[in-house]
Amino acid sequence: MTVILELENVVKRFGGLTATNKMSFTIDKGESVGLIGPNGAGKTTIFSLIMGEHKVNEGSIRLHGEELTRLKTHKRIRRGIARTYQVPRPFADMDVLANIEVGLMPDSIFAMLTSPANHAEGRAIARSIGISDTDLHKSPSELSMGDLRKLELARTLATKPEVMLLDEVFAGLTAGEIEQISGLLAEKRQEGMTYIIVSHDLRSLEPLIDRAIAMTQGTFVCQGTYHEVMENEAVRMAYLGH
C-alpha cells in the first residue's frame, strides 16, 4: 500500500490544555479509516490540524511525504485534502448548485460563475451524491438536514480531494437518512476514495471502514479492524468506564 497521509508526534495546545499529545498514524491511498473516541478525545482537533485551521505546536503532517505544517488551508485543499463539518457550512447567499461550484473554482470567481463546464460538472457531482435537480436552485436554508449533509459531501467532492475528512456526517439524521448517506459513502469507498470518518454512531462505521484508530484525551490508544478496536480494554474503558 502507498501511504498518502502521515501524522507524526502531533501536539496541539490551547493555553494550558493539551488537546492532542504526540498523535501519530498513517493513512494508505484508497483506505477508509474510522477515527473514534469519546467526546473531548481530540478527533475534530485532528481534522482542524490536518486542514491547517489550527496550527501544530509540535510534530509533522505530510501528504505524499510533503510537509504541510506551514501551509495555509486553501493550499492544502489545492493539494488534495478536504473536509466536512459537524455543522454544515454552506454559503447562505448562494443556491445549492453555486455552493457546489465553489469547489470547482479556478483562480477567478467570474470564471466560476460564467463557465458552462462548471455548471455541467456541478450538476454531475450533485447527481452522484443524490441531490435532485429540483433542489439545485434552492437556498441551503430550504434543505433538510439530510440534504444539507449531501451538500457538504458534494462541496467536498467538488475540490477533487485525494483525502476526505468526514466529521459527524450522520449527526442529526433520521435512520433513513443515515442509511442513504451510508450508501453514498459505500459507493465512494468502492470507487477507491480515501477518507477518514468521525462518528458517534459507531455501528454505522463498521461497514464503511477498513480500519479504526482509537484515541482518548488527545492520545493514541490503538488501531485495527473495527471489532479488534471495539474489543480493546482501553477503548471499552474510555467509552463505557469498565
PDB file of all heavy atoms in Angstrom, residues 125-164:
ATOM      1  N   ILE A 125     -21.848  16.236 -10.152  1.00  0.00           N
ATOM      2  CA  ILE A 125     -21.472  15.909  -8.773  1.00  0.00           C
ATOM      3  C   ILE A 125     -22.712  15.819  -7.897  1.00  0.00           C
ATOM      4  O   ILE A 125     -22.845  14.907  -7.075  1.00  0.00           O
ATOM      5  CB  ILE A 125     -20.486  16.967  -8.220  1.00  0.00           C
ATOM      6  CG1 ILE A 125     -19.140  16.852  -8.935  1.00  0.00           C
ATOM      7  CG2 ILE A 125     -20.307  16.809  -6.709  1.00  0.00           C
ATOM      8  CD1 ILE A 125     -18.201  17.997  -8.660  1.00  0.00           C
ATOM      9  N   ALA A 126     -23.641  16.764  -8.091  1.00  0.00           N
ATOM     10  CA  ALA A 126     -24.883  16.749  -7.308  1.00  0.00           C
ATOM     11  C   ALA A 126     -25.630  15.439  -7.521  1.00  0.00           C
ATOM     12  O   ALA A 126     -26.087  14.802  -6.564  1.00  0.00           O
ATOM     13  CB  ALA A 126     -25.758  17.938  -7.697  1.00  0.00           C
ATOM     14  N   ARG A 127     -25.745  15.011  -8.782  1.00  0.00           N
ATOM     15  CA  ARG A 127     -26.458  13.769  -9.070  1.00  0.00           C
ATOM     16  C   ARG A 127     -25.736  12.567  -8.442  1.00  0.00           C
ATOM     17  O   ARG A 127     -26.373  11.647  -7.928  1.00  0.00           O
ATOM     18  CB  ARG A 127     -26.582  13.569 -10.580  1.00  0.00           C
ATOM     19  CG  ARG A 127     -27.504  14.576 -11.269  1.00  0.00           C
ATOM     20  CD  ARG A 127     -27.800  14.180 -12.706  1.00  0.00           C
ATOM     21  NE  ARG A 127     -28.475  15.258 -13.420  1.00  0.00           N
ATOM     22  CZ  ARG A 127     -27.892  16.060 -14.287  1.00  0.00           C
ATOM     23  NH1 ARG A 127     -26.599  15.898 -14.581  1.00  0.00           N
ATOM     24  NH2 ARG A 127     -28.576  17.022 -14.884  1.00  0.00           N
ATOM     25  N   SER A 128     -24.404  12.587  -8.490  1.00  0.00           N
ATOM     26  CA  SER A 128     -23.636  11.455  -7.968  1.00  0.00           C
ATOM     27  C   SER A 128     -23.806  11.298  -6.466  1.00  0.00           C
ATOM     28  O   SER A 128     -23.605  10.206  -5.927  1.00  0.00           O
ATOM     29  CB  SER A 128     -22.141  11.623  -8.301  1.00  0.00           C
ATOM     30  OG  SER A 128     -21.520  12.559  -7.435  1.00  0.00           O
ATOM     31  N   ILE A 129     -24.158  12.367  -5.784  1.00  0.00           N
ATOM     32  CA  ILE A 129     -24.296  12.340  -4.331  1.00  0.00           C
ATOM     33  C   ILE A 129     -25.758  12.298  -3.907  1.00  0.00           C
ATOM     34  O   ILE A 129     -26.085  12.314  -2.722  1.00  0.00           O
ATOM     35  CB  ILE A 129     -23.561  13.551  -3.703  1.00  0.00           C
ATOM     36  CG1 ILE A 129     -23.006  13.191  -2.324  1.00  0.00           C
ATOM     37  CG2 ILE A 129     -24.419  14.783  -3.646  1.00  0.00           C
ATOM     38  CD1 ILE A 129     -21.822  12.258  -2.364  1.00  0.00           C
ATOM     39  N   GLY A 130     -26.658  12.229  -4.901  1.00  0.00           N
ATOM     40  CA  GLY A 130     -28.075  12.062  -4.595  1.00  0.00           C
ATOM     41  C   GLY A 130     -28.858  13.341  -4.401  1.00  0.00           C
ATOM     42  O   GLY A 130     -29.951  13.327  -3.829  1.00  0.00           O
ATOM     43  N   ILE A 131     -28.341  14.475  -4.882  1.00  0.00           N
ATOM     44  CA  ILE A 131     -29.074  15.737  -4.819  1.00  0.00           C
ATOM     45  C   ILE A 131     -29.912  15.858  -6.084  1.00  0.00           C
ATOM     46  O   ILE A 131     -29.386  15.773  -7.192  1.00  0.00           O
ATOM     47  CB  ILE A 131     -28.116  16.935  -4.697  1.00  0.00           C
ATOM     48  CG1 ILE A 131     -27.324  16.845  -3.386  1.00  0.00           C
ATOM     49  CG2 ILE A 131     -28.883  18.255  -4.768  1.00  0.00           C
ATOM     50  CD1 ILE A 131     -26.253  17.902  -3.249  1.00  0.00           C
ATOM     51  N   SER A 132     -31.196  16.065  -5.928  1.00  0.00           N
ATOM     52  CA  SER A 132     -32.090  16.104  -7.088  1.00  0.00           C
ATOM     53  C   SER A 132     -31.941  17.413  -7.859  1.00  0.00           C
ATOM     54  O   SER A 132     -31.560  18.445  -7.301  1.00  0.00           O
ATOM     55  CB  SER A 132     -33.546  15.949  -6.639  1.00  0.00           C
ATOM     56  OG  SER A 132     -33.965  17.082  -5.903  1.00  0.00           O
ATOM     57  N   ASP A 133     -32.242  17.361  -9.149  1.00  0.00           N
ATOM     58  CA  ASP A 133     -32.188  18.567  -9.982  1.00  0.00           C
ATOM     59  C   ASP A 133     -33.107  19.656  -9.450  1.00  0.00           C
ATOM     60  O   ASP A 133     -32.804  20.844  -9.568  1.00  0.00           O
ATOM     61  CB  ASP A 133     -32.578  18.229 -11.427  1.00  0.00           C
ATOM     62  CG  ASP A 133     -31.493  17.430 -12.149  1.00  0.00           C
ATOM     63  OD1 ASP A 133     -30.367  17.351 -11.626  1.00  0.00           O
ATOM     64  OD2 ASP A 133     -31.784  16.899 -13.238  1.00  0.00           O
ATOM     65  N   THR A 134     -34.219  19.266  -8.850  1.00  0.00           N
ATOM     66  CA  THR A 134     -35.170  20.261  -8.342  1.00  0.00           C
ATOM     67  C   THR A 134     -34.627  21.028  -7.144  1.00  0.00           C
ATOM     68  O   THR A 134     -35.124  22.110  -6.829  1.00  0.00           O
ATOM     69  CB  THR A 134     -36.504  19.589  -7.940  1.00  0.00           C
ATOM     70  OG1 THR A 134     -36.230  18.570  -6.968  1.00  0.00           O
ATOM     71  CG2 THR A 134     -37.182  18.964  -9.150  1.00  0.00           C
ATOM     72  N   ASP A 135     -33.591  20.473  -6.484  1.00  0.00           N
ATOM     73  CA  ASP A 135     -33.014  21.159  -5.320  1.00  0.00           C
ATOM     74  C   ASP A 135     -31.855  22.085  -5.685  1.00  0.00           C
ATOM     75  O   ASP A 135     -31.387  22.851  -4.836  1.00  0.00           O
ATOM     76  CB  ASP A 135     -32.507  20.131  -4.295  1.00  0.00           C
ATOM     77  CG  ASP A 135     -33.636  19.486  -3.513  1.00  0.00           C
ATOM     78  OD1 ASP A 135     -34.738  20.075  -3.463  1.00  0.00           O
ATOM     79  OD2 ASP A 135     -33.415  18.402  -2.958  1.00  0.00           O
ATOM     80  N   LEU A 136     -31.372  22.029  -6.920  1.00  0.00           N
ATOM     81  CA  LEU A 136     -30.144  22.739  -7.272  1.00  0.00           C
ATOM     82  C   LEU A 136     -30.267  24.248  -7.130  1.00  0.00           C
ATOM     83  O   LEU A 136     -29.270  24.932  -6.859  1.00  0.00           O
ATOM     84  CB  LEU A 136     -29.718  22.378  -8.704  1.00  0.00           C
ATOM     85  CG  LEU A 136     -29.208  20.954  -8.906  1.00  0.00           C
ATOM     86  CD1 LEU A 136     -28.848  20.718 -10.364  1.00  0.00           C
ATOM     87  CD2 LEU A 136     -27.994  20.685  -8.008  1.00  0.00           C
ATOM     88  N   HIS A 137     -31.447  24.771  -7.335  1.00  0.00           N
ATOM     89  CA  HIS A 137     -31.597  26.227  -7.264  1.00  0.00           C
ATOM     90  C   HIS A 137     -32.329  26.678  -6.009  1.00  0.00           C
ATOM     91  O   HIS A 137     -32.776  27.820  -5.914  1.00  0.00           O
ATOM     92  CB  HIS A 137     -32.296  26.738  -8.527  1.00  0.00           C
ATOM     93  CG  HIS A 137     -31.484  26.479  -9.769  1.00  0.00           C
ATOM     94  ND1 HIS A 137     -30.260  27.073  -9.989  1.00  0.00           N
ATOM     95  CD2 HIS A 137     -31.697  25.642 -10.816  1.00  0.00           C
ATOM     96  CE1 HIS A 137     -29.757  26.632 -11.132  1.00  0.00           C
ATOM     97  NE2 HIS A 137     -30.605  25.766 -11.644  1.00  0.00           N
ATOM     98  N   LYS A 138     -32.393  25.780  -5.037  1.00  0.00           N
ATOM     99  CA  LYS A 138     -32.923  26.146  -3.727  1.00  0.00           C
ATOM    100  C   LYS A 138     -31.829  26.808  -2.891  1.00  0.00           C
ATOM    101  O   LYS A 138     -30.638  26.589  -3.111  1.00  0.00           O
ATOM    102  CB  LYS A 138     -33.442  24.909  -2.992  1.00  0.00           C
ATOM    103  CG  LYS A 138     -34.727  24.332  -3.531  1.00  0.00           C
ATOM    104  CD  LYS A 138     -35.168  23.145  -2.677  1.00  0.00           C
ATOM    105  CE  LYS A 138     -36.477  22.561  -3.167  1.00  0.00           C
ATOM    106  NZ  LYS A 138     -36.894  21.394  -2.334  1.00  0.00           N
ATOM    107  N   SER A 139     -32.268  27.583  -1.911  1.00  0.00           N
ATOM    108  CA  SER A 139     -31.343  28.092  -0.908  1.00  0.00           C
ATOM    109  C   SER A 139     -31.016  26.951   0.058  1.00  0.00           C
ATOM    110  O   SER A 139     -31.869  26.099   0.339  1.00  0.00           O
ATOM    111  CB  SER A 139     -31.985  29.232  -0.138  1.00  0.00           C
ATOM    112  OG  SER A 139     -31.261  29.513   1.050  1.00  0.00           O
ATOM    113  N   PRO A 140     -29.789  26.897   0.591  1.00  0.00           N
ATOM    114  CA  PRO A 140     -29.479  25.860   1.589  1.00  0.00           C
ATOM    115  C   PRO A 140     -30.453  25.854   2.761  1.00  0.00           C
ATOM    116  O   PRO A 140     -30.703  24.793   3.352  1.00  0.00           O
ATOM    117  CB  PRO A 140     -28.059  26.230   2.039  1.00  0.00           C
ATOM    118  CG  PRO A 140     -27.461  26.898   0.851  1.00  0.00           C
ATOM    119  CD  PRO A 140     -28.596  27.683   0.243  1.00  0.00           C
ATOM    120  N   SER A 141     -31.013  27.008   3.087  1.00  0.00           N
ATOM    121  CA  SER A 141     -31.951  27.087   4.211  1.00  0.00           C
ATOM    122  C   SER A 141     -33.232  26.302   3.958  1.00  0.00           C
ATOM    123  O   SER A 141     -33.978  26.007   4.896  1.00  0.00           O
ATOM    124  CB  SER A 141     -32.293  28.545   4.515  1.00  0.00           C
ATOM    125  OG  SER A 141     -32.969  29.134   3.422  1.00  0.00           O
ATOM    126  N   GLU A 142     -33.496  25.953   2.708  1.00  0.00           N
ATOM    127  CA  GLU A 142     -34.694  25.191   2.357  1.00  0.00           C
ATOM    128  C   GLU A 142     -34.476  23.681   2.421  1.00  0.00           C
ATOM    129  O   GLU A 142     -35.423  22.919   2.228  1.00  0.00           O
ATOM    130  CB  GLU A 142     -35.157  25.570   0.947  1.00  0.00           C
ATOM    131  CG  GLU A 142     -35.534  27.036   0.767  1.00  0.00           C
ATOM    132  CD  GLU A 142     -35.923  27.343  -0.666  1.00  0.00           C
ATOM    133  OE1 GLU A 142     -37.082  27.068  -1.025  1.00  0.00           O
ATOM    134  OE2 GLU A 142     -35.047  27.832  -1.421  1.00  0.00           O
ATOM    135  N   LEU A 143     -33.250  23.252   2.669  1.00  0.00           N
ATOM    136  CA  LEU A 143     -32.936  21.827   2.655  1.00  0.00           C
ATOM    137  C   LEU A 143     -33.138  21.186   4.023  1.00  0.00           C
ATOM    138  O   LEU A 143     -32.974  21.829   5.068  1.00  0.00           O
ATOM    139  CB  LEU A 143     -31.483  21.611   2.220  1.00  0.00           C
ATOM    140  CG  LEU A 143     -31.078  22.134   0.839  1.00  0.00           C
ATOM    141  CD1 LEU A 143     -29.603  21.823   0.597  1.00  0.00           C
ATOM    142  CD2 LEU A 143     -31.948  21.547  -0.264  1.00  0.00           C
ATOM    143  N   SER A 144     -33.468  19.897   4.011  1.00  0.00           N
ATOM    144  CA  SER A 144     -33.497  19.117   5.244  1.00  0.00           C
ATOM    145  C   SER A 144     -32.062  18.887   5.707  1.00  0.00           C
ATOM    146  O   SER A 144     -31.103  19.094   4.946  1.00  0.00           O
ATOM    147  CB  SER A 144     -34.175  17.772   4.993  1.00  0.00           C
ATOM    148  OG  SER A 144     -33.360  16.965   4.137  1.00  0.00           O
ATOM    149  N   MET A 145     -31.908  18.423   6.958  1.00  0.00           N
ATOM    150  CA  MET A 145     -30.557  18.145   7.443  1.00  0.00           C
ATOM    151  C   MET A 145     -29.881  17.071   6.589  1.00  0.00           C
ATOM    152  O   MET A 145     -28.691  17.155   6.288  1.00  0.00           O
ATOM    153  CB  MET A 145     -30.587  17.708   8.911  1.00  0.00           C
ATOM    154  CG  MET A 145     -29.206  17.397   9.494  1.00  0.00           C
ATOM    155  SD  MET A 145     -28.004  18.755   9.319  1.00  0.00           S
ATOM    156  CE  MET A 145     -28.650  19.890  10.557  1.00  0.00           C
ATOM    157  N   GLY A 146     -30.647  16.061   6.169  1.00  0.00           N
ATOM    158  CA  GLY A 146     -30.068  15.023   5.316  1.00  0.00           C
ATOM    159  C   GLY A 146     -29.544  15.586   4.016  1.00  0.00           C
ATOM    160  O   GLY A 146     -28.448  15.228   3.562  1.00  0.00           O
ATOM    161  N   ASP A 147     -30.301  16.503   3.403  1.00  0.00           N
ATOM    162  CA  ASP A 147     -29.858  17.104   2.143  1.00  0.00           C
ATOM    163  C   ASP A 147     -28.706  18.079   2.368  1.00  0.00           C
ATOM    164  O   ASP A 147     -27.841  18.241   1.497  1.00  0.00           O
ATOM    165  CB  ASP A 147     -31.030  17.798   1.445  1.00  0.00           C
ATOM    166  CG  ASP A 147     -31.990  16.800   0.813  1.00  0.00           C
ATOM    167  OD1 ASP A 147     -31.554  15.675   0.513  1.00  0.00           O
ATOM    168  OD2 ASP A 147     -33.172  17.139   0.630  1.00  0.00           O
ATOM    169  N   LEU A 148     -28.669  18.727   3.538  1.00  0.00           N
ATOM    170  CA  LEU A 148     -27.518  19.584   3.864  1.00  0.00           C
ATOM    171  C   LEU A 148     -26.245  18.746   3.986  1.00  0.00           C
ATOM    172  O   LEU A 148     -25.174  19.173   3.555  1.00  0.00           O
ATOM    173  CB  LEU A 148     -27.762  20.350   5.168  1.00  0.00           C
ATOM    174  CG  LEU A 148     -28.596  21.624   5.073  1.00  0.00           C
ATOM    175  CD1 LEU A 148     -28.890  22.158   6.473  1.00  0.00           C
ATOM    176  CD2 LEU A 148     -27.882  22.698   4.243  1.00  0.00           C
ATOM    177  N   ARG A 149     -26.367  17.543   4.571  1.00  0.00           N
ATOM    178  CA  ARG A 149     -25.207  16.654   4.659  1.00  0.00           C
ATOM    179  C   ARG A 149     -24.742  16.246   3.257  1.00  0.00           C
ATOM    180  O   ARG A 149     -23.542  16.174   2.979  1.00  0.00           O
ATOM    181  CB  ARG A 149     -25.555  15.403   5.469  1.00  0.00           C
ATOM    182  CG  ARG A 149     -25.867  15.653   6.922  1.00  0.00           C
ATOM    183  CD  ARG A 149     -24.647  16.003   7.721  1.00  0.00           C
ATOM    184  NE  ARG A 149     -24.970  16.234   9.118  1.00  0.00           N
ATOM    185  CZ  ARG A 149     -24.224  16.927   9.951  1.00  0.00           C
ATOM    186  NH1 ARG A 149     -23.077  17.458   9.536  1.00  0.00           N
ATOM    187  NH2 ARG A 149     -24.582  17.108  11.197  1.00  0.00           N
ATOM    188  N   LYS A 150     -25.689  15.977   2.376  1.00  0.00           N
ATOM    189  CA  LYS A 150     -25.327  15.660   0.989  1.00  0.00           C
ATOM    190  C   LYS A 150     -24.617  16.844   0.337  1.00  0.00           C
ATOM    191  O   LYS A 150     -23.642  16.661  -0.403  1.00  0.00           O
ATOM    192  CB  LYS A 150     -26.578  15.310   0.183  1.00  0.00           C
ATOM    193  CG  LYS A 150     -27.231  14.008   0.540  1.00  0.00           C
ATOM    194  CD  LYS A 150     -28.441  13.792  -0.358  1.00  0.00           C
ATOM    195  CE  LYS A 150     -29.279  12.627   0.072  1.00  0.00           C
ATOM    196  NZ  LYS A 150     -30.484  12.484  -0.780  1.00  0.00           N
ATOM    197  N   LEU A 151     -25.118  18.050   0.599  1.00  0.00           N
ATOM    198  CA  LEU A 151     -24.483  19.238   0.026  1.00  0.00           C
ATOM    199  C   LEU A 151     -23.055  19.389   0.539  1.00  0.00           C
ATOM    200  O   LEU A 151     -22.140  19.719  -0.233  1.00  0.00           O
ATOM    201  CB  LEU A 151     -25.302  20.486   0.352  1.00  0.00           C
ATOM    202  CG  LEU A 151     -24.728  21.829  -0.119  1.00  0.00           C
ATOM    203  CD1 LEU A 151     -24.458  21.828  -1.624  1.00  0.00           C
ATOM    204  CD2 LEU A 151     -25.672  22.974   0.255  1.00  0.00           C
ATOM    205  N   GLU A 152     -22.839  19.128   1.834  1.00  0.00           N
ATOM    206  CA  GLU A 152     -21.477  19.170   2.381  1.00  0.00           C
ATOM    207  C   GLU A 152     -20.569  18.192   1.648  1.00  0.00           C
ATOM    208  O   GLU A 152     -19.430  18.513   1.293  1.00  0.00           O
ATOM    209  CB  GLU A 152     -21.501  18.818   3.877  1.00  0.00           C
ATOM    210  CG  GLU A 152     -21.833  19.949   4.801  1.00  0.00           C
ATOM    211  CD  GLU A 152     -20.648  20.863   5.044  1.00  0.00           C
ATOM    212  OE1 GLU A 152     -19.719  20.501   5.784  1.00  0.00           O
ATOM    213  OE2 GLU A 152     -20.654  21.966   4.463  1.00  0.00           O
ATOM    214  N   LEU A 153     -21.071  16.977   1.415  1.00  0.00           N
ATOM    215  CA  LEU A 153     -20.272  15.976   0.705  1.00  0.00           C
ATOM    216  C   LEU A 153     -20.004  16.407  -0.735  1.00  0.00           C
ATOM    217  O   LEU A 153     -18.882  16.250  -1.243  1.00  0.00           O
ATOM    218  CB  LEU A 153     -21.003  14.633   0.716  1.00  0.00           C
ATOM    219  CG  LEU A 153     -21.026  13.885   2.046  1.00  0.00           C
ATOM    220  CD1 LEU A 153     -21.992  12.700   1.976  1.00  0.00           C
ATOM    221  CD2 LEU A 153     -19.636  13.399   2.418  1.00  0.00           C
ATOM    222  N   ALA A 154     -21.030  16.954  -1.386  1.00  0.00           N
ATOM    223  CA  ALA A 154     -20.857  17.395  -2.771  1.00  0.00           C
ATOM    224  C   ALA A 154     -19.838  18.521  -2.865  1.00  0.00           C
ATOM    225  O   ALA A 154     -18.997  18.545  -3.774  1.00  0.00           O
ATOM    226  CB  ALA A 154     -22.201  17.844  -3.349  1.00  0.00           C
ATOM    227  N   ARG A 155     -19.900  19.465  -1.946  1.00  0.00           N
ATOM    228  CA  ARG A 155     -18.940  20.585  -1.944  1.00  0.00           C
ATOM    229  C   ARG A 155     -17.518  20.066  -1.740  1.00  0.00           C
ATOM    230  O   ARG A 155     -16.560  20.583  -2.332  1.00  0.00           O
ATOM    231  CB  ARG A 155     -19.298  21.588  -0.852  1.00  0.00           C
ATOM    232  CG  ARG A 155     -20.612  22.318  -1.070  1.00  0.00           C
ATOM    233  CD  ARG A 155     -20.950  23.214   0.102  1.00  0.00           C
ATOM    234  NE  ARG A 155     -19.957  24.284   0.217  1.00  0.00           N
ATOM    235  CZ  ARG A 155     -19.564  24.816   1.369  1.00  0.00           C
ATOM    236  NH1 ARG A 155     -20.041  24.357   2.496  1.00  0.00           N
ATOM    237  NH2 ARG A 155     -18.696  25.796   1.379  1.00  0.00           N
ATOM    238  N   THR A 156     -17.385  19.055  -0.883  1.00  0.00           N
ATOM    239  CA  THR A 156     -16.070  18.472  -0.632  1.00  0.00           C
ATOM    240  C   THR A 156     -15.562  17.737  -1.862  1.00  0.00           C
ATOM    241  O   THR A 156     -14.404  17.896  -2.269  1.00  0.00           O
ATOM    242  CB  THR A 156     -16.146  17.511   0.572  1.00  0.00           C
ATOM    243  OG1 THR A 156     -16.648  18.213   1.702  1.00  0.00           O
ATOM    244  CG2 THR A 156     -14.786  16.945   0.913  1.00  0.00           C
ATOM    245  N   LEU A 157     -16.416  16.949  -2.492  1.00  0.00           N
ATOM    246  CA  LEU A 157     -16.025  16.203  -3.692  1.00  0.00           C
ATOM    247  C   LEU A 157     -15.657  17.124  -4.848  1.00  0.00           C
ATOM    248  O   LEU A 157     -14.819  16.770  -5.686  1.00  0.00           O
ATOM    249  CB  LEU A 157     -17.150  15.265  -4.115  1.00  0.00           C
ATOM    250  CG  LEU A 157     -17.374  14.039  -3.233  1.00  0.00           C
ATOM    251  CD1 LEU A 157     -18.681  13.348  -3.594  1.00  0.00           C
ATOM    252  CD2 LEU A 157     -16.208  13.069  -3.350  1.00  0.00           C
ATOM    253  N   ALA A 158     -16.273  18.299  -4.895  1.00  0.00           N
ATOM    254  CA  ALA A 158     -16.007  19.233  -5.994  1.00  0.00           C
ATOM    255  C   ALA A 158     -14.558  19.706  -6.021  1.00  0.00           C
ATOM    256  O   ALA A 158     -14.054  20.108  -7.066  1.00  0.00           O
ATOM    257  CB  ALA A 158     -16.947  20.434  -5.906  1.00  0.00           C
ATOM    258  N   THR A 159     -13.869  19.652  -4.881  1.00  0.00           N
ATOM    259  CA  THR A 159     -12.460  20.066  -4.850  1.00  0.00           C
ATOM    260  C   THR A 159     -11.532  18.975  -5.364  1.00  0.00           C
ATOM    261  O   THR A 159     -10.324  19.158  -5.406  1.00  0.00           O
ATOM    262  CB  THR A 159     -12.026  20.461  -3.418  1.00  0.00           C
ATOM    263  OG1 THR A 159     -12.032  19.294  -2.574  1.00  0.00           O
ATOM    264  CG2 THR A 159     -12.951  21.520  -2.840  1.00  0.00           C
ATOM    265  N   LYS A 160     -12.136  17.818  -5.739  1.00  0.00           N
ATOM    266  CA  LYS A 160     -11.369  16.657  -6.242  1.00  0.00           C
ATOM    267  C   LYS A 160     -10.300  16.214  -5.240  1.00  0.00           C
ATOM    268  O   LYS A 160      -9.110  16.107  -5.560  1.00  0.00           O
ATOM    269  CB  LYS A 160     -10.740  16.971  -7.598  1.00  0.00           C
ATOM    270  CG  LYS A 160     -11.765  17.312  -8.678  1.00  0.00           C
ATOM    271  CD  LYS A 160     -11.094  17.652  -9.994  1.00  0.00           C
ATOM    272  CE  LYS A 160     -12.122  17.881 -11.095  1.00  0.00           C
ATOM    273  NZ  LYS A 160     -13.005  19.041 -10.828  1.00  0.00           N
ATOM    274  N   PRO A 161     -10.733  15.922  -4.014  1.00  0.00           N
ATOM    275  CA  PRO A 161      -9.756  15.589  -2.977  1.00  0.00           C
ATOM    276  C   PRO A 161      -9.148  14.210  -3.150  1.00  0.00           C
ATOM    277  O   PRO A 161      -9.777  13.297  -3.691  1.00  0.00           O
ATOM    278  CB  PRO A 161     -10.603  15.637  -1.695  1.00  0.00           C
ATOM    279  CG  PRO A 161     -11.969  15.232  -2.147  1.00  0.00           C
ATOM    280  CD  PRO A 161     -12.118  15.842  -3.517  1.00  0.00           C
ATOM    281  N   GLU A 162      -7.933  14.058  -2.684  1.00  0.00           N
ATOM    282  CA  GLU A 162      -7.322  12.738  -2.564  1.00  0.00           C
ATOM    283  C   GLU A 162      -7.669  12.124  -1.209  1.00  0.00           C
ATOM    284  O   GLU A 162      -7.705  10.903  -1.069  1.00  0.00           O
ATOM    285  CB  GLU A 162      -5.810  12.832  -2.715  1.00  0.00           C
ATOM    286  CG  GLU A 162      -5.341  13.186  -4.114  1.00  0.00           C
ATOM    287  CD  GLU A 162      -3.858  12.917  -4.275  1.00  0.00           C
ATOM    288  OE1 GLU A 162      -3.488  11.726  -4.327  1.00  0.00           O
ATOM    289  OE2 GLU A 162      -3.092  13.884  -4.340  1.00  0.00           O
ATOM    290  N   VAL A 163      -7.883  12.991  -0.215  1.00  0.00           N
ATOM    291  CA  VAL A 163      -8.259  12.545   1.129  1.00  0.00           C
ATOM    292  C   VAL A 163      -9.436  13.389   1.604  1.00  0.00           C
ATOM    293  O   VAL A 163      -9.365  14.619   1.579  1.00  0.00           O
ATOM    294  CB  VAL A 163      -7.101  12.688   2.137  1.00  0.00           C
ATOM    295  CG1 VAL A 163      -7.534  12.181   3.518  1.00  0.00           C
ATOM    296  CG2 VAL A 163      -5.866  11.950   1.661  1.00  0.00           C
ATOM    297  N   MET A 164     -10.517  12.716   2.021  1.00  0.00           N
ATOM    298  CA  MET A 164     -11.662  13.403   2.591  1.00  0.00           C
ATOM    299  C   MET A 164     -11.695  13.173   4.102  1.00  0.00           C
ATOM    300  O   MET A 164     -11.505  12.045   4.569  1.00  0.00           O
ATOM    301  CB  MET A 164     -12.971  12.893   1.981  1.00  0.00           C
ATOM    302  CG  MET A 164     -13.171  13.273   0.541  1.00  0.00           C
ATOM    303  SD  MET A 164     -14.729  12.585  -0.133  1.00  0.00           S
ATOM    304  CE  MET A 164     -15.946  13.495   0.810  1.00  0.00           C
TER     305      MET A 164
END
